[in-house]
Amino acid sequence: MLQTLLPTIALDLSQPIDLPALKPDATEVWLEIGFGGGEHLAAQAQRRPDVLALGAEPFLNGVASALRHIEAASLTNVRLHAGDARDLLAALPTASLDRVFILFPDPWPKLRHHKRRLIQPDVVAALVRVLKPNGRLRFATDWANYADWTVERLTGAPELVWTAQKADDWRLAPQDHAPTRYEAKKLGDIAPVYLDFQRISAA
Ligand SMILES: C[S@@+](CC[C@H](N)C(=O)[O-])C[C@H]1O[C@@H](n2cnc3c(N)ncnc32)[C@H](O)[C@@H]1O
């Protein structure tokens, strides 16, 4: 069953992605980068059937897990790229996404491994390109240094603002958050933080 489901929801990156063709009645398009087991992606897609929910994840066991969630909930609004999110970002039209989620990405806590982190200048530039004006990006981590690293790099882009007004805005899980498998493991060195950014027009 899962083998028959994947081809129907796999994104074709060999040509520019035609998002309206994937779900003509979609009110918004969201993307989750590194969805792991897919529980957050499926929960959001179930909560918002009007949204076209895209996901990218190279870990095949994670893709299989996501397919099981999609099948169990009979979701028809999810499309997956079983690979590197950077390839999917490159295939997306400019200003095409309303929301992006990057939840508990691999922290690479050792200094010499920081260059392996997902949040790098090329990814920041790609996110700025694909987000719509006023589009939103949520980044969550339970590693203090990765939180600092990300705030520094994302607010370093003139098109992105961190929307938090007070500590609870990043210390408490947002109302629309769905817990993830990695989050539940509590492997980091701090309680989780949820950093919401918005894409504005650069001055
Ligand atoms: C620590 S896990 C967290 C998974 C999930 N977001 C969660 O919170 O349970 C990080 C995930 O990011 C994925 N990942 C790493 N590099 C990636 C990339 N370039 N594009 C997409 N996903 C990536 C990994 O395969 C892994 O599943």
Side-chain angles (χ1 to χ4, degrees), residues 9-192:
I9 67 169
L11 289 163
D12 176 9
L13 302 194
S14 66
Q15 47 202 339
I17 299 178
D18 182 0
L19 291 171
L22 295 177
K23 181 171 167 57
D25 62 347
T27 59
E28 295 191 9
V29 184
W30 296 3
L31 166 65
E32 182 168 343
I33 292 176
F35 57 72
E39 44 297 300
H40 177 273
L41 180 65
Q44 294 291 2
Q46 187 164 18
R47 197 174 59 82
R48 289 288 304 270
D50 57 306
V51 165
L52 172 61
L54 311 178
E57 171 57 61
F59 175 50
L60 286 181
N61 285 348
V63 175
S65 165
L67 289 173
R68 284 191 289 274
H69 288 298
I70 290 164
E71 192 180 32
S74 304
L75 301 175
T76 59
N77 58 334
V78 181
R79 297 291 182 279
L80 301 182
H81 170 54
D84 194 319
R86 291 168 291 196
D87 297 332
L88 174 53
L89 288 170
L92 284 169
T94 296
S96 58
L97 299 184
D98 297 274
R99 296 193 74 175
V100 176
F101 299 91
I102 304 174
L103 305 176
F104 305 93
D106 295 311
W108 297 111
K110 291 183 182 153
L111 185 61
R112 69 176 185 279
H113 292 152
H114 283 183
K115 56 182 175 294
R116 299 185 190 174
R117 288 176 167 172
L118 180 72
I119 302 298
Q120 301 291 345
D122 60 332
V123 170
V124 176
L127 291 167
V128 166
R129 185 184 71 78
V130 297
L131 277 167
K132 291 180 184 173
N134 300 320
R136 291 180 290 155
L137 163 64
R138 176 169 298 156
F139 177 97
T141 185
D142 53 7
W143 289 88
N145 180 270
Y146 205 2
D148 291 345
W149 167 284
T150 298
V151 169
E152 197 177 313
R153 279 153 186 79
L154 294 189
T155 59
E159 301 88 349
L160 294 175
V161 290
W162 183 23
T163 60
Q165 305 282 323
K166 55 186 187 311
D168 278 357
D169 292 342
W170 47 268
R171 279 204 303 228
L172 302 180
Q175 282 197 334
D176 63 353
H177 178 64
T180 76
R181 200 154 65 178
Y182 184 87
E183 178 176 11
K185 293 183 182 172
K186 299 186 191 303
L187 297 174
D189 58 2
I190 54 169

